[in-house]
Amino acid sequence: VNCYLKARGSDPPRLWISGLAQRLTEAGAGALVAATQAWYREAVGQMLANPKAGDLEGDYFVAWLRACRREVYDDIDRYAPEVVRDLAWAPSLSHPRSRQHRHDLGDVRIPSVDEAFREFAAFDPDARSSTARERVLAHILVDMFQLRLLGG
């Protein structure tokens, strides 16, 4: 935290973006800061409510398939994740001419933040290790916050 994301001179330590917001507010740009914060909350809220729909690049969806539906992930063409995310059906690489072997991607969904936190709350680290599903879901949720915070 002290090397990368900490606002210079902040005590207690806070994110650099928070320090920037404070400096802008003090410089008279409080309305801009408020509008930007509202946009951030709305953008992240939409992504967290429906991670598959909010994933414009398709990267989260493909990661979800890799962790949770490995047999599908291994048997589809993943050349363009943004296309894969929008497919209702993906042809099978092992049976390319067979409609019977195609994969239903339309019904594959990534849990919302509320569903994810219910899963996380039920996790007992003393009883077992985390699953691939839990790990990829945690990565997706954290990345959604960071994507909007640092990249817009």
Side-chain angles (χ1 to χ4, degrees):
V1 132
N2 290 330
C3 297
Y4 301 102
L5 298 176
K6 180 181 173 282
R8 184 174 292 139
S10 63
D11 188 26
R14 58 199 272 177
L15 290 176
W16 68 270
I17 195 77
S18 177
L20 176 62
Q22 179 183 4
R23 287 193 312 276
L24 286 170
T25 300
E26 290 169 356
L32 174 64
V33 170
T36 303
Q37 289 172 335
W39 167 83
Y40 173 80
R41 284 188 295 274
E42 176 67 22
V44 171
Q46 287 177 0
M47 290 179 78
L48 293 173
N50 186 346
K52 182 179 176 182
D55 176 21
L56 301 181
E57 292 81 23
D59 297 329
Y60 301 142
F61 185 65
V62 171
W64 181 257
L65 288 176
R66 185 178 57 244
C68 302
R69 302 283 303 272
R70 190 59 186 238
E71 74 288 351
V72 173
Y73 175 85
D74 288 340
D75 194 38
I76 64 171
D77 189 345
R78 304 173 307 274
Y79 67 95
E82 70 280 3
V83 173
V84 173
R85 182 210 59 230
D86 292 337
L87 292 175
W89 294 91
S92 165
L93 292 176
S94 58
H95 301 91
R97 292 185 169 83
S98 171
R99 289 178 56 88
Q100 180 181 355
H101 291 95
R102 64 188 180 156
H103 300 282
D104 181 1
L105 299 183
D107 287 340
V108 176
R109 55 182 298 279
I110 301 171
S112 70
V113 68
D114 294 330
E115 295 165 327
F117 275 99
R118 280 194 292 276
E119 285 186 37
F120 297 155
F123 174 64
D124 179 3
D126 294 329
R128 63 176 176 81
S129 298
S130 62
T131 65
R133 174 188 170 100
E134 291 162 339
R135 289 189 300 275
V136 74
L137 191 51
H139 284 251
I140 289 169
L141 296 177
V142 168
D143 193 59
M144 285 182 173
F145 280 102
Q146 291 302 315
L147 173 69
R148 288 295 178 207
L149 182 63
L150 301 175

